[in-house]
Amino acid sequence: MALTAFLSYLSLEKNYSPHTVVAYQRDIEAFTLYCKEVHDAPGIDGIAYTVIRSWIVSLVESGMDNRSINRKIASLKAYYKFLLRIGTLTINPLAKHKALKTVKKVEVPFSEKEMESVLQQITYEEGFEGVRNKLLIELLYTTGIRRAELIGLKIGDVDFNTNTMKVLGKRNKERLVPLLSSTVLLFKNYYEERKQLAVIADEPFLFLTKAGKKIYETLVYRIINGYFSKVSSKVKKSPHILRHTFATHLLNKGADLNSVKELLGHSSLASTQVYTHNSIAELKKVHAASHPRSKN
């Protein structure tokens, strides 16, 4: 089956994560179901663009935002490119499709004061969970790693001899990130508490639940949202905002874009540049205070 071959291609050749592969599968299966139910089409391989356009209209009318629709169409476009590659299709019905316009989302990072409050001023619970939660927040802020990267960390990835940590990023790309001395201290405190757990089911993994199992996405979100709700009135308080905060604070302090790119594990500068708009405010202050013409 073409879809099975496509999903294998994404997983084995493109090294996409299981989560990403499942997202592609859901998008393609959703369109397949639409074609069957609305247009009585047996498959989507030779479908006309007019049918795809009618699906887009139905998604818009359902209230789905343009960003989500564009993601679904991108999945479909990748599938058709694959069919062209293996010779199943000779024409890509989405070849001339233009993505729907989207409003650029501005994600507001936490301030240095907010970070200081969470890491130094609020009280954490005693025992394993409190120590784990503080390390988790500190690690996300001081390394900029993604939530999925944090969840996938293993005990052997942390090297106290060099104070570095090995991170497995997107498409199985490894990178080393430096650890601050404050982070190393929290790691050692956490290890001591981790040893006291009655049962450890997922031994290789670094971050565990109190039941000894590998930590999971919604728990990481709840931890971040819970602590930052105590000090911040920002609407969005998620693990990704900590990654955004990491990059913004480095750039504000004068770090060059290429260094931030490497630390974040981006494959291109274009991905890193989305974090620069917040540092523009700092640059304006420096510009206004330093340029000879600013006194006129």
Side-chain angles (χ1 to χ4, degrees):
M1 185 178 176
L3 179 56
T4 302
F6 173 63
L7 297 176
S8 295
Y9 163 73
L10 294 181
S11 178
L12 301 176
E13 292 193 40
K14 301 291 285 184
N15 287 324
Y16 284 0
S17 70
H19 177 78
T20 302
V21 174
V22 169
Y24 273 84
Q25 181 178 359
R26 286 175 180 165
D27 292 338
I28 295 166
E29 287 178 344
F31 179 60
T32 302
L33 183 63
Y34 170 83
C35 289
K36 182 179 180 181
E37 293 183 345
V38 179
H39 295 276
D40 198 28
I44 65 171
D45 292 3
I47 216 77
Y49 177 68
T50 52
V51 175
I52 300 173
R53 189 170 58 193
S54 70
W55 184 48
I56 294 171
V57 171
S58 72
L59 294 175
V60 171
E61 291 176 344
S62 73
M64 184 176 290
D65 64 83
N66 287 3
R67 191 178 300 275
S68 297
I69 294 172
N70 284 341
R71 194 208 72 232
K72 289 181 177 296
I73 299 304
S75 297
L76 199 56
K77 196 169 188 176
Y79 178 60
Y80 283 133
K81 282 185 177 179
F82 174 76
L83 294 183
L84 283 171
R85 180 183 175 187
I86 64 175
T88 302
L89 284 185
T90 55
I91 298 175
N92 186 343
L94 280 165
K96 296 183 179 180
H97 173 76
K98 292 183 179 179
L100 302 180
K101 290 184 179 180
T102 58
V103 177
K104 188 175 182 180
K105 292 192 295 184
V106 177
E107 295 182 327
V108 182
F110 296 117
S111 66
E112 291 185 36
K113 184 178 179 180
E114 287 171 330
M115 292 306 311
E116 187 70 15
S117 296
V118 167
L119 290 171
Q120 300 297 334
Q121 296 174 15
I122 66 173
T123 302
Y124 286 77
E125 304 88 337
E126 291 187 3
F128 171 77
E129 288 188 295
V131 173
R132 178 202 64 194
N133 295 350
K134 188 170 185 179
L135 170 61
L136 187 151
I137 293 171
E138 163 104 6
L139 195 63
L140 288 173
Y141 174 52
T142 60
T143 65
I145 61 174
R146 302 174 177 92
R147 175 170 55 178
E149 293 171 343
L150 177 131
I151 292 171
L153 287 172
K154 295 183 178 178
I155 289 287
D157 292 334
V158 182
D159 186 346
F160 290 136
N161 292 320
T162 58
N163 284 353
T164 58
M165 183 173 70
K166 183 174 67 176
V167 178
L168 185 63
K170 289 185 175 181
R171 303 184 186 180
N172 292 327
K173 184 179 178 182
E174 286 187 355
R175 69 183 186 279
L176 282 179
V177 296
L179 298 175
L180 299 179
S181 56
S182 59
T183 313
V184 170
L185 180 60
L186 290 177
F187 259 119
K188 292 180 178 179
N189 293 340
Y190 171 68
Y191 282 168
E192 289 302 313
E193 292 292 339
R194 190 180 184 276
K195 290 176 185 176
Q196 307 305 315
L197 291 175
V199 177
I200 299 182
D202 294 325
E203 177 65 43
F205 290 95
L206 180 59
F207 283 101
L208 303 175
T209 66
K210 63 181 179 181
K213 295 184 178 180
K214 179 183 176 184
I215 205 168
Y216 50 94
E217 287 191 0
T218 52
L219 178 56
V220 177
Y221 175 82
R222 288 204 305 267
I223 290 169
I224 302 303
N225 190 66
Y227 285 102
F228 280 91
S229 292
K230 299 176 181 179
V231 304
S232 176
S233 60
K234 290 181 173 64
V235 174
K236 193 169 183 182
K237 296 178 279 288
S238 68
H240 183 71
I241 296 299
L242 276 175
R243 179 170 165 85
H244 191 62
T245 301
F246 164 80
T248 301
H249 288 184
L250 282 181
L251 291 166
N252 284 348
K253 294 296 184 181
D256 68 276
L257 204 57
N258 268 310
S259 297
V260 176
K261 166 184 170 291
E262 293 302 317
L263 289 168
L264 290 171
H266 284 158
S267 56
S268 70
L269 273 178
S271 300
T272 314
Q273 285 171 335
V274 301
Y275 298 104
T276 61
H277 74 272
N278 288 288
S279 62
I280 293 298
E282 295 296 320
L283 291 175
K284 284 182 177 178
K285 290 179 184 177
V286 173
H287 183 261
S290 306
H291 198 283
R293 291 288 296 168
S294 65
K295 304 297 189 295
N296 295 342

